[in-house]
Amino acid sequence: MTKLNVNYSDFQSFFKRILQSSICATALGVSMLIPAAVSAQAVQESEREEVRAQASQSPNDSLRLFGENDPNVRRATAIVNGQIITGTDIDHRAALVLAANDREVSGEELKALRLQVLRNLIDETLQIQAAEANEIAVKQSEVDQTYTRVARENFDQDSSAMDSYLKRVGSSPASLKRQIKGEMAWQRLLSRNITPFVNVSEEEVRDILQRLEESKGVEEYRIGEIFLAATQENADQVFTQARQLMEQIRQGSNFTAYARQFSQASTASVGGDLGFVRLETLPAEMTTAARQMQIGQLVGPVQIPGGFVIMYLIDKRQILTANPRDATLSLKQLSITFPAGTTQEQATARAGAFATAARNIRGCGDADRVASDLGASVVNNDTVILRSLPMALQETMLNMSIGESTPPFGSAESGINVLVLCGRDDPKANAGPDAEQLTRQLEDERINKRAQTYLRDLRRDAIISYN
């Protein structure tokens, strides 16, 4: 069966998926660094050699920050326990974030992004150093294989296509490989020092399952969060930063990518996703805000103890009841495209005719006739999960009857589409997690909390000096 192709602005480019996904899965096998990666590493190593003499003159080699960037002078931006983070390191990692958001940023936004990227690189360096101190090694061949797998998943070919893409957007293979190494090192360190000491008792699991049954029908909220820590002294500054982040997300930046880069909560590693929670488990301020939110809505900054949080409502459900967004749909998609040279007047006229005809479709049996009259293409798919569609389409189709069609959506560049609902298989009631699933969930939550504490201790123990 032909795969349904819903062209919609909410569908992101491949690199958003790289930033959203965890790329620290174990990589096996051996491969060689490609020349582009070697070249990028050589440039950065040259910068590091240039500043090592400066670093040796300082009595404190844990961390040193320098002044404003001079594009004609390459020097260290930070030194973490003798390991140098250069301006190029920051440029390349910031380019990954910018590439995921497909829009121009102001000078102030770029400065804030670079500062956050520097903090992330410092954390990443501390994580790698901690792993090495515990004699945990990440082989270059493992990093290369993971990099190749990511390239294959996103480009359906070898890594050269991703190499070219990274360089084109101002980043480098070496920067992404460094991120891969950091995540692999940190996960292995947690697996040795934290995971074996996290325990969930059978009695605890039974109690939770019983409470779930007693709470059947109670509403849960799946919330995304970006938490920024603040003190009395810097609260105004952090609030302004949070407002800027919200504005960037509203203008099209990816929430998940921003949560991974900016959030200081333990959920940053999973794109800020809190999972499904009951509101009474959240701080009172977040509970009040969440009750007023609609799915897909962004609110904040909400002040809570310790800082500010930006909230995004991903989904809602009722405990142990069927979620209508899990329905399987049978759809027909009608699409029209505009050939090169089509004027705005011609495109508007054809789009108007398409919209009028779509409103008059009398069920899926009539869709092929309408498509033929309009010169539109038709694609069938009987296995579309409602929640996999963009949020605006989900809301529309939740209220549609069999045979009805959506309003047209798309653009003159990508084409205009209409979906006709041919059938709907409603989901069965959610039986909830079983004991094994709940145990894994509790273990993951506790590991994440201890990991955050572990990283905080690494930061605290670092000797940091500023120029």
Side-chain angles (χ1 to χ4, degrees):
M1 178 170 294
T2 305
K3 183 178 180 181
L4 186 70
N5 176 27
V6 180
N7 293 312
Y8 198 77
S9 59
D10 280 9
F11 288 165
Q12 306 295 341
S13 67
F14 91 95
F15 208 77
K16 291 187 176 68
R17 296 195 296 274
I18 295 178
L19 289 179
Q20 293 172 21
S21 65
S22 173
I23 52 178
C24 59
T26 302
L28 302 175
V30 178
S31 61
M32 296 298 293
L33 275 174
I34 53 120
V38 174
S39 175
Q41 289 172 325
V43 170
Q44 293 167 6
E45 183 59 29
S46 175
E47 295 175 1
R48 294 182 174 94
E49 289 296 341
E50 181 180 339
V51 300
R52 280 196 175 99
Q54 302 174 23
S56 65
Q57 296 172 6
S58 171
N60 187 329
D61 67 348
S62 180
L63 175 67
R64 190 171 73 216
L65 298 182
F66 293 78
E68 294 295 324
N69 289 333
D70 182 341
N72 298 314
V73 177
R74 289 296 190 184
R75 58 184 180 178
T77 303
I79 303 173
V80 184
N81 296 329
Q83 187 166 347
I84 297 166
I85 299 173
T86 69
T88 298
D89 294 326
I90 295 175
D91 291 341
H92 287 182
R93 191 63 62 84
L96 302 186
V97 181
L98 295 174
N101 290 286
D102 303 324
R103 71 177 187 86
E104 296 293 327
V105 298
S106 68
E108 285 300 314
E109 291 173 347
L110 183 58
K111 180 181 288 188
L113 172 62
R114 287 177 57 84
L115 287 173
Q116 184 60 43
V117 166
L118 174 58
R119 287 193 286 269
N120 292 346
L121 286 170
I122 291 172
D123 283 350
E124 184 178 283
T125 301
L126 290 172
Q127 290 167 346
I128 293 173
Q129 290 174 346
E132 292 174 347
N134 282 267
E135 299 182 347
I136 296 173
V138 177
K139 297 179 180 178
Q140 188 61 50
S141 60
E142 296 176 296
V143 174
D144 292 343
Q145 184 166 3
T146 301
Y147 179 87
T148 300
R149 177 176 56 79
V150 171
R152 187 178 302 113
E153 291 173 354
N154 290 283
F155 288 99
D156 197 27
Q157 53 184 296
D158 61 33
S159 60
S160 60
M162 192 160 74
D163 294 344
S164 298
Y165 175 84
L166 292 172
K167 288 185 285 186
R168 186 167 68 252
V169 300
S171 186
S172 68
S175 182
L176 183 54
K177 288 183 179 184
R178 166 77 173 185
Q179 184 173 343
I180 292 171
K181 179 179 180 179
E183 293 195 11
M184 293 176 74
W186 185 236
Q187 290 302 317
R188 291 179 185 182
L189 181 61
L190 298 182
S191 295
R192 175 184 293 183
N193 291 359
I194 290 181
T195 302
F197 306 103
V198 171
N199 296 307
V200 177
S201 69
E202 293 182 6
E203 181 179 1
E204 186 177 5
V205 172
R206 282 197 302 269
D207 288 344
I208 293 176
L209 290 174
Q210 181 178 346
R211 289 199 297 270
L212 280 174
E213 186 62 36
E214 293 170 351
S215 302
K216 185 174 182 178
V218 174
E219 203 162 40
E220 290 185 315
Y221 292 66
R222 186 179 177 189
I223 294 173
E225 64 171 356
I226 298 177
F227 173 73
L228 303 178
T231 62
Q232 272 190 321
E233 291 74 18
N234 69 356
D236 290 342
Q237 178 185 350
V238 175
F239 178 82
T240 300
Q241 180 189 2
R243 289 289 298 271
Q244 291 173 343
L245 289 178
M246 285 190 64
E247 184 60 30
Q248 293 164 30
I249 293 169
R250 287 188 173 126
Q251 291 177 8
S253 296
N254 184 270
F255 181 92
T256 301
Y258 266 41
R260 287 178 64 88
Q261 294 294 331
F262 291 98
S263 181
Q264 294 168 274
S266 60
T267 55
S269 62
V270 290
D273 191 351
L274 277 168
F276 281 102
V277 296
R278 294 172 61 172
L279 293 187
E280 58 265 30
T281 66
L282 300 174
E285 299 84 353
M286 292 181 67
T287 296
T288 301
R291 289 193 192 280
Q292 311 301 320
M293 294 174 69
Q294 302 297 319
I295 294 176
Q297 185 178 359
L298 186 77
V299 301
V302 177
Q303 187 167 15
I304 63 174
F308 296 90
V309 63
I310 299 169
M311 299 170 58
Y312 176 66
L313 184 56
I314 302 170
D315 200 359
K316 290 195 293 187
R317 71 180 182 188
Q318 292 180 320
I319 296 175
L320 302 183
T321 59
N323 191 328
R325 295 178 193 275
D326 291 327
T328 301
L329 307 181
S330 175
L331 301 175
K332 277 194 176 184
Q333 177 178 293
L334 281 64
S335 305
I336 60 171
T337 57
F338 302 96
T342 301
T343 66
Q344 183 64 40
E345 183 179 0
Q346 291 170 328
T348 301
R350 190 174 181 210
F354 185 49
T356 300
R359 285 195 296 270
N360 295 323
I361 293 176
R362 296 179 178 86
C364 285
D366 193 40
D368 291 324
R369 179 191 62 78
V370 172
S372 178
D373 292 344
L374 293 172
S377 61
V378 179
V379 176
N380 301 302
N381 196 320
D382 296 328
T383 58
V384 178
I385 304 300
L386 177 57
R387 69 169 61 255
S388 69
L389 296 174
M391 187 57 64
L393 285 178
Q394 288 186 39
E395 295 299 328
T396 297
M397 303 201 78
L398 276 172
N399 301 308
M400 285 173 53
S401 299
I402 303 301
E404 288 188 317
S405 59
T406 66
F409 60 92
S411 67
E413 293 76 20
S414 62
I416 297 179
N417 312 277
V418 164
L419 297 179
V420 184
L421 181 60
C422 302
R424 182 203 311 265
D425 292 327
D426 290 319
K428 297 180 180 179
N430 179 14
D434 58 28
E436 183 178 351
Q437 291 171 331
L438 185 56
T439 299
R440 287 199 302 268
Q441 180 182 335
L442 291 172
E443 288 174 346
D444 288 344
E445 290 174 357
R446 292 174 187 180
I447 289 169
N448 285 336
K449 287 181 180 178
R450 295 194 186 185
Q452 188 68 15
T453 302
Y454 195 175
L455 181 57
R456 182 198 65 198
D457 291 343
L458 291 176
R459 297 185 191 121
R460 182 197 63 201
D461 294 341
I463 302 172
I464 301 177
S465 63
Y466 299 91
N467 280 351

